[in-house]
Amino acid sequence: MSKFINWKSNWLNGNFQLFADGVQKGMISFSSWRSDAESMFEDKNYQFANDGFWKSRTKVIDRKTLEVIAIINYDSWKSMAVISLNTGEQYEWKSTGIWKSQWTVSNYKDEHIIYTSSSNSGTISSNTDNKLLIITGLFIKQVYNKRTALMIACIVPVITTSTLRHH
């Protein structure tokens, strides 16, 4: 079954709202200073809890059963991640657009989700009803957005300081 979802994000806090047919169907709410998040999509409720240095791994917890249902492992150098479900299935998240405005979640067999963005909104086109995968694709994108912002925040003062010293 094909699913088409629109999303909007708040650039100040990184939170997302998901809409289908103009009706809000879900959301992702991030912690203020961390990349942990709570999410709800239709009848599913997930918690994303990061662990590891540089948040290299995220546990996805079903809020109803408190069971870890997936683990996300990040490859920071390639802007990709692997989503490993507790059923043994694996999916790859990767950025596909030159300007990081498109990304996908796929098992390269029968489930494929395409995300597009322009500024603070975008679309999700999915051939699966797997709510966990749909919401996880947006979560991972925001984790990489936060890492990029942190890197810029660390590098700009160094460049500015070294440039001022040489004048």
Side-chain angles (χ1 to χ4, degrees):
M1 177 182 173
S2 186
K3 216 170 174 61
F4 191 77
I5 301 159
N6 291 301
W7 60 267
K8 293 180 184 175
S9 69
N10 179 326
W11 66 273
L12 286 175
N13 58 22
N15 294 342
F16 288 88
Q17 296 175 313
L18 288 82
F19 301 88
D21 300 321
V23 177
Q24 184 172 350
K25 297 286 187 171
M27 52 71 78
I28 304 175
S29 177
F30 283 85
S31 300
S32 296
W33 300 106
R34 301 180 54 181
S35 291
D36 292 354
E38 297 281 333
S39 70
M40 183 273 305
F41 185 46
E42 293 175 351
D43 61 340
K44 300 293 182 183
N45 192 342
Y46 306 111
Q47 177 183 0
F48 294 87
N50 293 299
D51 59 59
F53 184 69
W54 279 97
K55 297 163 186 55
S56 58
R57 193 172 96 139
T58 301
K59 294 179 186 172
V60 185
I61 301 161
D62 183 317
R63 298 287 290 156
K64 290 178 185 161
T65 65
L66 301 180
E67 178 185 5
V68 175
I69 55 174
I71 301 284
I72 305 165
N73 287 297
Y74 303 94
D75 183 336
S76 298
W77 300 109
K78 296 180 183 175
S79 290
M80 63 175 279
V82 174
I83 306 161
S84 301
L85 304 185
N86 62 357
T87 59
E89 297 170 274
Q90 287 197 330
Y91 296 82
E92 183 180 77
W93 179 100
K94 70 176 183 176
S95 182
T96 57
I98 293 173
W99 302 109
K100 308 282 189 215
S101 62
Q102 287 187 319
W103 61 99
T104 61
V105 170
S106 181
N107 65 355
Y108 298 105
K109 292 183 281 187
D110 56 352
E111 294 183 291
H112 197 71
I113 306 168
I114 301 169
Y115 302 80
T116 59
S117 70
S118 63
S119 64
N120 296 327
S121 64
T123 60
I124 304 169
S125 177
S126 174
N127 71 347
T128 178
D129 277 336
N130 190 323
K131 295 169 183 74
L132 172 63
L133 292 177
I134 292 169
I135 207 97
T136 299
L138 282 175
F139 172 81
I140 294 170
K141 175 63 172 167
Q142 188 60 17
V143 167
Y144 278 114
N145 285 351
K146 284 187 173 199
R147 285 182 180 181
T148 301
L150 179 63
M151 204 170 8
I152 290 169
C154 292
I155 291 172
V156 167
V158 171
I159 292 171
T160 303
T161 303
S162 66
T163 303
L164 292 174
R165 284 188 192 157
H166 296 304
H167 283 122

